[in-house]
Amino acid sequence: MKDKLVTRGYCLILAANFLLYFAFYLILPVLPFYLTEVFHTGSAAIGIILSCYTVAALCIRPFSGYLLDSLARKPLYLLAYFVFIAVLAGYIWAGILSIFIMLRVVHGLAFGMVTVAGNTIVIDVTPSSRRGEAVGYYGLMNNTAMSIGPMTGLFMQEVYSFNTIFGCAFLSGALGFVAACMVQTPPRAKVKREPISLDRFILLKGIPAGITLMLLSIPYGMTTTYIAMYAQNIGITLSSGLFFTFMAVGMAISRIFSGRQVDKGRITQVITFGLYLVCSCFLLLSACGTLFPMAPFATETLFFTIALFLGIGFGTMFPAFNTLFVNLAPSNQRGTATSTYLTSWEFGIGIGLVAGGYLAQVTSFDSAYLAGACLTIVSVFYFILKVAPHYHKNKLR
């Protein structure tokens, strides 16, 4: 008989995660337009400003992993969640660019802590025999938010003010905070407190996998931030918010099988499959600008088909990578493992934000996505030749 997965605590953490990410994705595609229309910034400046969020998240992640492994996890989770939603309200009164940048930094710090805490708590409240499924469905909440949030944000941008969008994001976060408060976490077993060392902040055995993840997240960062502008430049007429919807549908489809395959021990096989798929998708995405003048309808169809398969590729890999990092760490370093996993991901997204904006300004979005596609090719070879053998040699469970 299988261990029970669906419990009150698990459902509440899923709801809290969905509402957090809905608030995040609601404003994500709107921010480049907000900076352009309100503060009249260029593409390169937009990338630098938005990357402040990611840099701040990166700075706090290693420390958040250490704190979560050393202190009570739920209070830290709630504190970070509260700061996250407070900043959403602060955007409404950010009248000058310097205040907006400061708020983005604080927002990034809160996001860096709350995501590590949430990912760690979901592992705490679920049975280890169903960890792949648990992490998969937890990630599905992110994907569902991605399918609704950006499309809603872009639709609202055409009808409502930016402050209204920020207000709706705040409301979503506030509801999520209520759900987070109701989650009951199990008491933690007392463990001997080790002296502070580098491996308390970064999972050293996870660095090779982190490099692969970083190479993947650079083009992902370009996509989530600039895909609306890329579609506009190409000439695609359908709402670019649908790209996120198709991507999220693909991620939802992947959750049907990926979590169970991970629980069967096929972690490296699952990641390899996802790598091949994502690599092919970014190569095709970089070609859309060239193909559109020759075949507009076919290119538009291809554009949204790419989104679907990108979702399947990334959705397949997310729970597998998360479990891979956790399996390389002892149980008293789950926070550190999760922190290293998310730090690798966010570091690449930060590079993607800056590099994408810069390349788009000096060359074109086509060139930016082609460069991203080349990085995914490198990640495929590095994972197969280095990461997979390293994981099988060093895994603890």
Side-chain angles (χ1 to χ4, degrees), residues 216-374:
L216 284 174
S217 62
I218 292 173
Y220 184 90
M222 294 180 190
T223 303
T224 54
T225 307
Y226 299 111
I227 199 67
M229 289 184 167
Y230 182 42
Q232 192 177 68
N233 288 354
I234 292 173
I236 288 174
T237 54
L238 286 173
S239 171
S240 53
L242 287 171
F243 187 95
F244 293 96
T245 302
F246 278 103
M247 196 169 173
V249 168
M251 288 185 175
I253 292 170
S254 71
R255 304 297 182 180
I256 296 172
F257 61 87
S258 61
R260 291 177 183 175
Q261 294 302 312
V262 168
D263 285 335
K264 291 178 180 178
R266 297 168 185 157
I267 293 175
T268 54
Q269 296 93 322
V270 167
I271 293 174
T272 303
F273 168 78
L275 284 169
Y276 286 138
L277 197 53
V278 165
C279 182
S280 303
C281 286
F282 278 120
L283 285 169
L284 288 171
L285 188 63
S286 67
C288 284
T290 305
L291 296 173
F292 190 83
M294 296 182 285
F297 178 77
T299 306
E300 201 163 46
T301 304
L302 175 65
F303 184 77
F304 291 108
T305 303
I306 287 168
L308 179 69
F309 283 98
L310 265 181
I312 292 173
F314 278 115
T316 298
M317 287 187 288
F318 284 152
F321 264 116
N322 199 346
T323 306
L324 181 148
F325 278 88
V326 171
N327 286 352
L328 287 170
S331 58
N332 66 326
Q333 284 188 279
R334 284 177 183 169
T336 302
T338 302
S339 168
T340 306
Y341 159 67
L342 293 173
T343 298
S344 305
W345 182 249
E346 294 287 351
F347 187 70
I349 287 178
I351 296 172
L353 284 172
V354 177
Y358 176 76
L359 288 173
Q361 186 161 300
V362 299
T363 55
S364 65
F365 280 112
D366 303 58
S367 300
Y369 284 114
L370 180 59
C374 292

Side-chain angles (χ1 to χ4, degrees), residues 10-322:
Y10 184 62
C11 291
L12 285 169
I13 197 75
L14 292 186
N17 191 48
F18 168 77
L19 292 164
L20 174 84
Y21 273 91
F22 180 77
F24 173 78
Y25 281 116
L26 186 67
I27 65 171
L28 183 66
V30 173
L31 289 176
F33 296 101
Y34 175 70
L35 290 170
T36 302
E37 294 177 25
V38 177
F39 300 114
H40 310 291
T41 53
S43 296
I46 289 172
I48 293 170
I49 292 167
L50 294 182
S51 68
C52 291
Y53 182 94
T54 307
V55 171
L58 281 170
C59 290
I60 196 67
R61 284 209 197 280
F63 300 100
S64 60
Y66 173 76
L67 291 171
L68 288 163
D69 286 334
S70 304
L71 305 173
R73 286 169 180 160
K74 185 178 176 182
L76 289 170
Y77 176 56
L78 294 179
L79 174 63
Y81 209 129
F82 179 80
V83 174
F84 180 87
I85 60 175
V87 174
L88 287 170
Y91 286 147
I92 298 172
W93 293 283
I96 57 176
L97 187 59
S98 58
I99 293 177
F100 178 84
I101 293 171
M102 285 190 288
L103 286 171
R104 287 299 286 172
V105 171
V106 175
H107 214 185
L109 292 171
F111 185 76
M113 173 63 83
V114 75
T115 48
V116 174
N119 273 49
T120 307
I121 287 173
V122 79
I123 292 170
D124 286 343
V125 301
T126 51
S128 59
S129 63
R130 303 190 69 179
R131 186 168 292 155
E133 275 187 276
V135 171
Y137 292 129
Y138 182 78
L140 180 57
M141 295 300 101
N142 307 1
N143 310 147
T144 306
M146 185 198 293
S147 69
I148 304 169
M151 186 170 61
T152 306
L154 290 169
F155 169 76
M156 290 181 71
Q157 182 202 353
E158 299 173 3
V159 182
Y160 302 103
S161 68
F162 289 113
N163 283 349
T164 302
I165 298 172
F166 293 142
C168 289
F170 170 77
L171 179 61
S172 173
L175 292 172
F177 181 73
V178 172
C181 288
M182 297 167 66
V183 176
Q184 291 187 336
T185 55
R188 292 183 58 196
K190 289 185 178 181
V191 294
K192 181 182 177 182
R193 188 161 295 183
E194 301 290 340
I196 294 177
S197 59
L198 181 61
D199 65 351
R200 300 301 292 158
F201 298 95
I202 299 171
L203 184 68
L204 299 179
K205 289 182 180 179
I207 289 176
I211 293 171
T212 297
L213 203 54
M214 181 197 70
L215 292 171
L216 284 174
S217 62
I218 292 173
Y220 184 90
M222 294 180 190
T223 303
T224 54
T225 307
Y226 299 111
I227 199 67
M229 289 184 167
Y230 182 42
Q232 192 177 68
N233 288 354
I234 292 173
I236 288 174
T237 54
L238 286 173
S239 171
S240 53
L242 287 171
F243 187 95
F244 293 96
T245 302
F246 278 103
M247 196 169 173
V249 168
M251 288 185 175
I253 292 170
S254 71
R255 304 297 182 180
I256 296 172
F257 61 87
S258 61
R260 291 177 183 175
Q261 294 302 312
V262 168
D263 285 335
K264 291 178 180 178
R266 297 168 185 157
I267 293 175
T268 54
Q269 296 93 322
V270 167
I271 293 174
T272 303
F273 168 78
L275 284 169
Y276 286 138
L277 197 53
V278 165
C279 182
S280 303
C281 286
F282 278 120
L283 285 169
L284 288 171
L285 188 63
S286 67
C288 284
T290 305
L291 296 173
F292 190 83
M294 296 182 285
F297 178 77
T299 306
E300 201 163 46
T301 304
L302 175 65
F303 184 77
F304 291 108
T305 303
I306 287 168
L308 179 69
F309 283 98
L310 265 181
I312 292 173
F314 278 115
T316 298
M317 287 187 288
F318 284 152
F321 264 116
N322 199 346

